[in-house]
Amino acid sequence: MCPWVCIVLLAGVAACRAPDETVVNEAPSELPSVAFEDVTLQAGLGGFQHLTGAFGQKWFPETMGAGAGFLDYDGDGLLDILLVGGNPFPSRSEFAPPALRLYRNVDSTSFEEVTEAAGLGALRSYAFGITSADYDNDGDPDVFVTALFENLLLRNDHGVFTEVAAAAGLADEAAWSTAAVFVDADRDGFLDLYVGNYVDWGPDKDIVCTRVGDRKAYCTPELYNGLSGAFYRNSGDGTFTRQSGVFDTAPGKTLGALSVDYNRDGWSDLIVANDTQRDLLFENQGDGTFVEKGVYSGIAFDENGRARAGMGLDIGVVDETGEVTLFVGHFTAEMVGVYRHTQNGFFVDRAAVSQIGRPSLRTLTFGLFLFDVDRDRDLDLFTANGHIIEEIGLVEEGITYRQRPQLYINQGAGLFAELSASSHPLLTRGFVGRGAAYGDYDRDGDLDVLFTENGGPAHLWRNDTPGGGYLEVRLEGTASNRDGVGARVVVLAGGRHQEREVRAGASYLSQSQQWPHFGLGAVPVVDSLWVYWPNGAVYREGPIAINQVVQIVEQ
């Protein structure tokens, strides 16, 4: 059980700024001894199975599910788990399981299913992804669910969910939606919503494709028309209004989205990964409106000017430049995208030089996220991999349907080394990986791993890696949105600067722990902690003892 400290920061220090950074090139170090334990069964998740609805016709949506996430739905300080269960297609069966399965964290070691008790037992939907945040600022984390045909908004009232999408103005169209992001675009203290859509598909629009002989196979998205995303402004009264403009004309086929203040102007921007269409960067103009700068910024295409199969994505500071680096999952024969911001709105492609590119060529990466697996003060990268075609090995040599996950250890200076499969037994196993998220569910100070399989189980890996100290920061906004989504948290410890940004939604259709987590290595104390609140205020505190959870309430 972690000790808690509650720090209520006072106004009057808004002029504080983080110290200037010095670029330091470190020599690659020996890879850590990473220790994961598969605790899926003993934690109580063994009964879960994702349902694709497949019935032999190879309908396109069957290959794409599903997401998962960590959230504290009942406010007890422990991370619970929400899994997207899938569904039969509406025309195929009168019986369908709940669209979502909720598991309550009982004692930091095990979970009990509370789907019925939480009001989710009767929920039916062919769902894909989740994102969670307190959109109505009432202290409870709510959930937005992307789905085929119609999305869902689950308002949380003291641990019981009610579906309110239509009443909230979010059920205005029937589309295939995928990645969604809560973001306070106009800094009014209420979370707006971006919803990414995929392709124009329905049973009457299904296309027959073949890969092996004359047997029907799943088609690629190039054969379908893409659907543009949608942006909804939070009115502050529990309802949303769809905004027309740049989002309506941008390319669709979206599978990943996140919010980030990439240019440090204090306004949250949006980055969107598209499947066989150019990736997008929606830059906030400082008033909650956006312009699209994907091509200008350098993230839209690969080095040959070609759009790739963009899946999940994450972003963070992974080197000593202090600039963010974007990571994007791609198809087989396409490197995981690695783009580092170089100021002035430009990103440079570092897939090859980062040493992530070549090891990722034989995998199809859906979920991915950055986390400090060994608490050494560097963000590492986890990827959940798995193909969409079961018979792929018959037509592409060396490519498999079930693929092992990959863990890339940060060596410093933006260079990574893949942890070999032989170094850990769990990394030798093949999965049909899709959603992936991290969270410290057992409250031992390190980040654990949750990922899903398409048409298969979920997997919970407890992180037992030896390492340094940590600090976890939990924010409560008052003038800003309640969750502090969009806040940038910076710590200085042992002469080294780290930062995390609070966000709702990333990876592939998934929600990781919102609370910023910092590995601290061997340093004995955090010298300073800064919070750059979404409303523009800046607060500072320090020194702070390590190995604890710090709660900061905006004043």
Side-chain angles (χ1 to χ4, degrees), residues 61-83:
E62 297 166 5
T63 66
M64 307 304 290
F70 288 104
L71 74 162
D72 180 10
Y73 89 99
D74 55 358
D76 65 355
L78 300 177
L79 286 172
D80 311 300
I81 288 177
L82 185 63
L83 302 174

Side-chain angles (χ1 to χ4, degrees), residues 248-412:
D248 298 327
T249 58
K253 302 187 181 180
T254 295
L255 291 178
L258 57 77
S259 65
V260 61
D261 180 11
Y262 85 99
N263 54 5
R264 308 292 169 73
D265 66 353
W267 296 83
S268 293
D269 313 296
L270 292 167
I271 298 179
V272 174
N274 287 328
D275 189 1
T276 70
Q277 294 283 340
R278 62 182 173 88
D279 293 339
L280 308 171
L281 171 57
F282 294 106
E283 184 181 280
N284 196 322
Q285 298 303 284
D287 58 2
T289 65
F290 297 83
V291 295
E292 203 285 295
K293 291 189 173 182
V295 174
Y296 174 86
S297 69
I299 70 166
F301 304 107
D302 68 10
E303 68 276 10
N304 297 314
R306 183 176 63 92
R308 291 183 282 188
M311 311 294 187
L313 73 175
D314 202 358
I315 195 166
V317 176
V318 300
D319 57 28
E320 296 77 16
T321 67
E323 296 291 338
V324 292
T325 298
L326 172 69
F327 297 80
V328 186
H330 289 132
F331 212 78
T332 52
E334 298 176 338
M335 297 180 181
V336 164
V338 182
Y339 301 93
R340 185 172 68 195
H341 187 239
T342 60
Q343 300 183 348
N344 301 316
F346 297 106
F347 287 79
V348 59
D349 189 332
R350 288 178 53 84
V353 71
S354 70
Q355 301 177 18
I356 288 175
R358 184 172 294 278
S360 66
L361 280 171
R362 289 190 174 274
T363 60
L364 199 171
T365 297
F366 278 89
L368 59 74
F369 56 76
L370 293 164
F371 73 139
D372 188 354
V373 66
D374 53 352
R375 306 184 303 286
D376 68 346
R377 300 187 288 172
D378 284 319
L379 286 173
D380 311 297
L381 181 72
F382 177 88
T383 68
N385 307 315
H387 214 280
I388 62 172
I389 301 172
E390 292 185 56
E391 306 89 350
I392 189 64
L394 300 177
V395 293
E396 293 190 29
E397 185 177 357
I399 306 300
T400 60
Y401 177 58
R402 305 183 69 83
Q403 299 178 358
R404 65 181 187 86
Q406 292 168 291
L407 180 60
Y408 298 91
I409 302 299
N410 194 332
Q411 300 276 279

Side-chain angles (χ1 to χ4, degrees), residues 344-554:
N344 301 316
F346 297 106
F347 287 79
V348 59
D349 189 332
R350 288 178 53 84
V353 71
S354 70
Q355 301 177 18
I356 288 175
R358 184 172 294 278
S360 66
L361 280 171
R362 289 190 174 274
T363 60
L364 199 171
T365 297
F366 278 89
L368 59 74
F369 56 76
L370 293 164
F371 73 139
D372 188 354
V373 66
D374 53 352
R375 306 184 303 286
D376 68 346
R377 300 187 288 172
D378 284 319
L379 286 173
D380 311 297
L381 181 72
F382 177 88
T383 68
N385 307 315
H387 214 280
I388 62 172
I389 301 172
E390 292 185 56
E391 306 89 350
I392 189 64
L394 300 177
V395 293
E396 293 190 29
E397 185 177 357
I399 306 300
T400 60
Y401 177 58
R402 305 183 69 83
Q403 299 178 358
R404 65 181 187 86
Q406 292 168 291
L407 180 60
Y408 298 91
I409 302 299
N410 194 332
Q411 300 276 279
L415 303 178
F416 292 78
E418 183 194 2
L419 200 66
S420 67
S422 61
S423 66
H424 198 290
L426 291 181
L427 296 178
T428 66
R429 295 167 54 187
F431 304 91
V432 190
R434 293 296 187 263
Y438 63 80
D440 183 11
Y441 83 90
D442 56 357
R443 294 184 64 182
D444 64 351
D446 52 32
L447 295 174
D448 310 296
V449 172
L450 173 71
F451 67 97
T452 65
E453 289 195 72
N454 179 250
H459 302 274
L460 181 62
W461 290 2
R462 189 184 65 216
N463 187 355
D464 296 325
T465 304
Y470 75 96
L471 184 73
E472 183 175 287
V473 182
R474 303 189 181 186
L475 301 183
E476 182 180 326
T478 52
S480 301
N481 66 84
R482 177 68 179 247
D483 286 342
V485 171
R488 188 161 58 96
V489 182
V490 178
V491 301
L492 178 66
R496 193 161 175 176
H497 165 216
Q498 296 184 68
E499 70 173 64
R500 307 283 187 268
E501 188 166 322
V502 181
R503 58 176 57 98
S507 184
Y508 178 72
L509 315 182
S510 295
Q511 176 69 56
S512 289
Q513 169 181 313
Q514 273 190 352
W515 308 318
H517 179 279
F518 298 87
L520 297 173
V523 300
V525 67
V526 171
D527 301 304
S528 299
L529 180 149
W530 288 265
V531 178
Y532 296 78
W533 290 98
N535 70 354
V538 183
Y539 298 90
R540 178 182 179 275
E541 181 71 18
I544 300 173
I546 67 171
N547 295 335
Q548 64 171 321
V549 176
V550 176
Q551 182 159 331
I552 301 174
V553 180
E554 184 182 19

Side-chain angles (χ1 to χ4, degrees), residues 25-41:
N25 292 320
E26 297 181 351
S29 58
E30 183 178 348
L31 293 185
S33 177
V34 173
F36 285 114
E37 181 73 22
D38 186 343
V39 296
T40 307
L41 296 180

